[in-house]
Amino acid sequence: MTSRKATSGPADPRFFKRAGPFDAAALAEAAGAELVPARAAPASAGGYTGIAPLQGAGPTDVSFLDNRRYAPLLEQTQAGLVIVAPAFAGKVPDHSAALVTSTPYLTWSRVARLFHPLVPAAPGVHTLACVDPAAHIDPTAEIGPFVVVGPRAEVGAGCIVGPHAVIGEGVQLGRDCRIGSHVVLSHAVLGERVCILPGARIGQDGFGFAVGPNGFETVPQLGRVVLEDDVEIGANSTVDRGSVNDTVIGAGSRLDNLVQIGHNAQLGRCCIVVSQAGISGSTVLEDYVTIAAQAGLIGHIRIGAKARIGAQCGVMSDVEGGADVIGSPAMPFREFFRNVAVLRKLSKKASSSPQGGADKV
């Protein structure tokens, strides 16, 4: 019987494939960081074999520090190689080498990807998949069990389509896309390297109806969803197809789990939409907009480039580029917290007045 005991450190080998070992020079070159050798001991002779947090790392592990509050852990770490900002380079223990960089988290990401590269597609169509004869599957793509691929659908080179996914009629996947289990794609065109996590629904009917004499009448949704290159869609998120115009998610954008994007919405490049946020139909986000968790945006508004929408924010009008807003209705950060301070002051004043407190019967 296989042991259920958890292994120490990250990247359990039951779930994550590992490459390496790598020497410090190779890691420094790949990450674009400056290598500072250990002062009291040579770097690991056999190279570095993996990554680990500061408090759990050993002599053959690579670790990193990106948050000042964890600085005490740096002085105690046993890691053989530590990624740090220049401000912390002098606090790296004598037995540890350092990769010094102005962007420690980005460097950490690149090093971690070296040790744990994306698993390549295993070319072929599973015997339990159902692929329409009129579909085109690139011979280098991987089609998992119980996948359904509709007529005239196209699956590009190097794609991986997970179990029980549905690739609807006419859907196009560019090269190296990764489609998770139970994803449903319809009326959609995907660029290259698009990643969709399990359970997402892309290209379903938008929420459109007209009021007739006998009640609601559904309006046909005749647009598509266009996911540009390097878009990532989180688990159980939904992106509705357009009613007439396309719904577009711009290149490099990231949608968290449980996000709703309404029909005709237009997201620019490298936008971020965090969990449980909802964007109503025909709203436009320019490039590099961030929408925090549980925010809600009404339809037919424009959010300017690099604007940031705070958590649980209710946005009911246009937001200028570069603005930071919070609250419902949304307002600039400073105005919101000034209002909060005034309300607290008034509340304390009322409670301390002779007539403050509970009403007397």
Side-chain angles (χ1 to χ4, degrees):
M1 181 176 177
T2 303
S3 172
R4 297 183 181 180
K5 183 179 179 180
T7 60
S8 60
D12 188 324
R14 292 172 294 184
F15 309 120
F16 302 97
K17 304 296 183 184
R18 178 176 295 183
F22 300 99
D23 62 34
L27 294 174
E29 181 179 0
E34 177 190 358
L35 175 62
V36 178
R39 293 186 290 270
S44 176
Y48 298 98
T49 59
I51 59 174
L54 288 168
Q55 65 272 32
T60 63
D61 291 323
V62 181
S63 192
F64 84 114
L65 174 70
D66 189 40
N67 190 320
R68 187 175 298 273
R69 71 176 63 182
Y70 299 116
L73 296 176
L74 175 61
E75 299 174 3
Q76 303 168 15
T77 189
Q78 297 300 309
L81 181 64
V82 185
I83 299 166
V84 293
F88 293 101
K91 297 186 178 181
V92 174
D94 289 348
H95 57 263
S96 301
L99 291 180
V100 181
T101 171
S102 60
T103 55
Y105 194 57
L106 177 60
T107 299
W108 168 256
S109 173
R110 291 172 176 172
V111 168
R113 182 57 69 195
L114 276 180
F115 284 110
H116 302 284
L118 289 173
V119 177
V125 178
H126 197 280
T127 56
L128 295 178
C130 180
V131 178
D132 189 277
H136 175 74
I137 310 294
D138 189 278
T140 63
E142 175 184 341
I143 307 297
F146 303 106
V147 169
V148 176
V149 182
R152 297 180 294 103
E154 298 180 12
V155 178
C159 289
I160 299 175
V161 182
H164 293 276
V166 177
I167 311 299
E169 180 176 358
V171 168
Q172 296 180 9
L173 276 62
R175 65 181 303 117
D176 297 320
C177 291
R178 292 174 180 258
I179 310 301
S181 61
H182 294 277
V183 168
V184 177
L185 292 169
S186 69
H187 306 83
V189 177
L190 280 60
E192 297 182 357
R193 300 173 301 280
V194 172
C195 177
I196 304 180
L197 298 186
R201 303 291 190 258
I202 311 297
Q204 311 308 306
D205 267 10
F207 191 54
F209 56 88
V211 180
N214 298 317
F216 300 133
E217 298 182 16
T218 299
V219 175
Q221 304 293 290
L222 303 176
R224 308 173 301 173
V225 169
V226 177
L227 304 181
E228 296 182 351
D229 294 349
D230 301 301
V231 164
E232 294 188 7
I233 308 291
N236 294 320
S237 290
T238 55
V239 181
D240 296 339
R241 70 176 183 267
S243 58
V244 178
N245 298 319
D246 291 336
T247 300
V248 178
I249 310 297
S253 291
R254 299 289 192 271
L255 273 59
D256 197 359
N257 302 335
L258 298 170
V259 165
Q260 160 65 22
I261 306 295
H263 61 193
N264 306 325
Q266 307 278 313
L267 275 63
R269 296 178 61 250
C270 296
C271 290
I272 297 171
V273 186
V274 185
S275 181
Q276 298 182 1
I279 299 176
S280 299
S282 299
T283 287
V284 175
L285 274 60
E286 296 180 5
D287 296 345
Y288 299 98
V289 169
T290 297
I291 309 293
Q294 296 186 336
L297 282 63
I298 68 168
H300 305 276
I301 60 174
R302 178 176 288 270
I303 311 300
K306 298 183 180 180
R308 297 189 298 176
I309 310 300
Q312 296 188 330
C313 196
V315 185
M316 304 177 189
S317 60
D318 292 352
V319 175
E320 294 182 357
D324 293 339
V325 299
I326 195 171
S328 186
M331 62 189 75
F333 269 50
R334 290 185 178 180
E335 180 181 345
F336 175 83
F337 287 109
R338 187 164 56 243
N339 291 346
V340 170
V342 170
L343 287 172
R344 286 177 177 172
K345 185 175 181 180
L346 290 173
S347 177
K348 289 180 180 179
K349 183 177 180 180
S351 63
S352 62
S353 68
Q355 280 123 15
D359 293 336
K360 296 182 179 178
V361 179

